[in-house]
Amino acid sequence: MNTINPLSGVPPSGSALSRSGGRAPQEQHVLPGQFLKALVLEAKTDNRFIIDIGGNRLLAQSEAPLAPGQTLQLQVVNATSPIELKIVSDTLNQFLGRSLTLIGKNIDISTLFQSLQQAPASLAELTPSTRNVLDNFYSLQQTPLEGDESGAILKQLIDRLGLSLEKILSLGDKEGANNTLKAALLELGQSFKGADSIAELTSRALSTLELFQLAQVHLDGDRQFLFPLPLPFVEQGFLLIENNRQQSENGDYANDEMRFSLHLTMSDIGHLRVDFYHSKEGLYVRFHTESQEKTDFVSQYSDELKSAISEAPLLSLTFASDATDPVGDLMRLIVPEGKSMLDTKA
């Protein structure tokens, strides 16, 4: 395993989904498992390097053959002195090794919740906060997505996942952190180490959350946002948002463009991608299915789809038959052809 040992303090960088900005370096503000981006600025003697993490220049030591200009993806192995960071050097293998997690139910905790209900004595050992988080998250997942409340329910589910758990902790909000699914799963993982079924289900859900955290690191964090879809009826999938809005000096948006797309696999329809493009003029929507037969089927509901869109003028609704596997879509987003986790730009 290639590692980096910072010889000066690592700055508090928030979470895997945020950047630290230009704050002064302080030690022990990172958390085990957290993902960081770093740029190699200078190679010195004795395997020492100057690296940049979130705008902070750090002296670090590593046996890895690094070169100025390399962009590194790092994961915190040890957050106490001496701090140790692992170079995640093979993106494709890292993700493919966890692909079974991604292509299963997307953070559907129904089976886990039911398994816990069958072990009431052990369940009683969990903190009230963890029991409450699991109960509320399960209840939300079972709530039908109907009417105007469906968007609010999905937002609650995503907000409660804990994709920004590390950032919440770094801000000192322990209560907020404890109210996330990831925190609850971490406690479960510790409490049920000997229970094979529960431990496996917990590890599976945790790996999925960490996968999406790692995926976000590889996107443009200022304008691209990736979210899992924790819905029981979605076999696999995610939501990608690309915000291209440009704010003018007076606070108005000169460019109000926003793109977002749903990448899904569902049992009845198969692979499905829905692209949305929103501008000041209105909304463009395009449905992609995996075959002409399914495109013909979906297009039969054009009138219903048009009537369901009321937030913005619908300028265009079109259909295509070129949908691909969401797992492959995610791989192409994270690792474009010819790219790797170690991005050399010297």
Side-chain angles (χ1 to χ4, degrees):
M1 176 181 68
N2 287 329
T3 61
I4 285 183
N5 297 100
L7 303 179
S8 53
V10 176
S13 61
S15 74
L17 305 184
S18 66
R19 297 179 178 179
S20 63
R23 289 174 283 183
Q26 303 175 38
E27 281 202 11
Q28 301 182 20
H29 280 256
V30 292
L31 299 168
Q34 184 175 344
F35 295 101
L36 305 170
K37 279 186 177 181
L39 175 66
V40 180
L41 300 177
E42 183 180 345
K44 294 181 171 294
T45 58
D46 300 325
N47 296 318
R48 296 189 177 198
F49 304 88
I50 301 295
I51 62 175
D52 180 290
I53 297 180
N56 294 269
R57 294 167 64 93
L58 306 173
L59 178 63
Q61 188 170 37
S62 177
E63 298 294 329
L66 306 180
Q70 282 183 312
T71 300
L72 308 176
Q73 304 297 340
L74 309 174
Q75 185 175 23
V76 181
V77 176
N78 182 23
T80 58
S81 185
I83 293 174
E84 183 178 0
L85 307 173
K86 176 175 66 174
I87 302 174
V88 189
S89 58
D90 190 343
T91 308
L92 192 55
N93 286 341
Q94 167 114 359
F95 280 97
L96 290 179
R98 301 164 109 171
S99 61
L100 289 179
T101 300
L102 177 65
I103 64 176
K105 293 287 186 180
N106 263 332
I107 319 176
D108 176 12
I109 67 166
S110 300
T111 305
L112 173 60
F113 189 82
Q114 292 162 9
S115 298
L116 288 169
Q117 296 298 99
Q118 296 170 7
S122 299
L123 187 59
E125 298 177 6
L126 297 174
T127 62
S129 174
T130 291
R131 294 198 300 270
N132 187 55
V133 166
L134 293 171
D135 185 61
N136 288 341
F137 196 87
Y138 174 77
S139 297
L140 269 177
Q141 282 196 322
Q142 306 311 307
T143 304
L145 295 183
E146 298 175 350
D148 297 337
E149 299 299 318
S150 58
I153 293 172
L154 179 58
K155 184 179 185 304
Q156 287 185 65
L157 282 168
I158 292 176
D159 288 345
R160 295 184 185 187
L161 287 174
L163 295 173
S164 298
L165 174 65
E166 293 83 0
K167 179 180 181 181
I168 297 172
L169 285 171
S170 73
L171 296 174
D173 186 3
K174 187 175 180 181
E175 181 180 355
N178 287 337
N179 287 326
T180 66
L181 179 65
K182 185 175 180 181
L185 292 172
L186 287 169
E187 182 181 335
L188 275 174
Q190 292 295 319
S191 301
F192 289 88
K193 283 184 177 179
D196 292 343
S197 175
I198 294 177
E200 180 182 351
L201 291 168
T202 300
S203 176
R204 199 174 178 84
L206 266 175
S207 294
T208 301
L209 285 173
E210 291 172 352
L211 173 68
F212 277 95
Q213 285 185 301
L214 182 58
Q216 181 65 52
V217 171
H218 287 264
L219 300 178
D220 184 344
D222 291 332
R223 68 180 190 87
Q224 290 183 306
F225 305 93
L226 183 71
F227 301 102
L229 298 172
L231 302 170
F233 58 84
V234 175
E235 293 187 357
Q236 56 181 331
F238 59 91
L239 168 66
L240 176 68
I241 299 175
E242 298 182 67
N243 186 356
N244 295 316
R245 295 191 298 175
Q246 298 176 354
Q247 196 168 18
S248 61
E249 293 181 359
N250 61 9
D252 296 330
Y253 286 102
N255 178 6
D256 200 24
E257 293 183 359
M258 181 177 289
R259 301 174 186 269
F260 50 103
S261 55
L262 292 167
H263 299 248
L264 311 169
T265 296
M266 295 185 288
S267 58
D268 294 333
I269 200 67
H271 302 323
L272 176 68
R273 187 175 91 244
V274 189
D275 295 330
F276 301 84
Y277 170 71
H278 182 272
S279 67
K280 288 184 176 180
E281 289 72 29
L283 183 66
Y284 296 82
V285 181
R286 186 169 180 83
F287 279 79
H288 305 256
T289 70
E290 61 181 27
S291 69
Q292 185 59 48
E293 179 183 5
K294 292 178 179 178
T295 294
D296 293 340
F297 172 77
V298 172
S299 62
Q300 294 177 20
Y301 297 90
S302 295
D303 292 338
E304 293 181 34
L305 290 168
K306 291 176 181 178
S307 62
I309 299 173
S310 58
E311 295 298 320
L314 181 61
L315 303 179
S316 175
L317 175 63
T318 57
F319 302 87
S321 307
D322 55 356
T324 52
D325 184 353
V327 176
D329 293 342
L330 185 59
M331 293 301 104
R332 285 184 286 275
L333 278 171
I334 300 167
V335 193
E337 187 175 354
K339 297 288 185 180
S340 68
M341 198 84 130
L342 285 174
D343 183 11
T344 304
K345 299 179 180 178

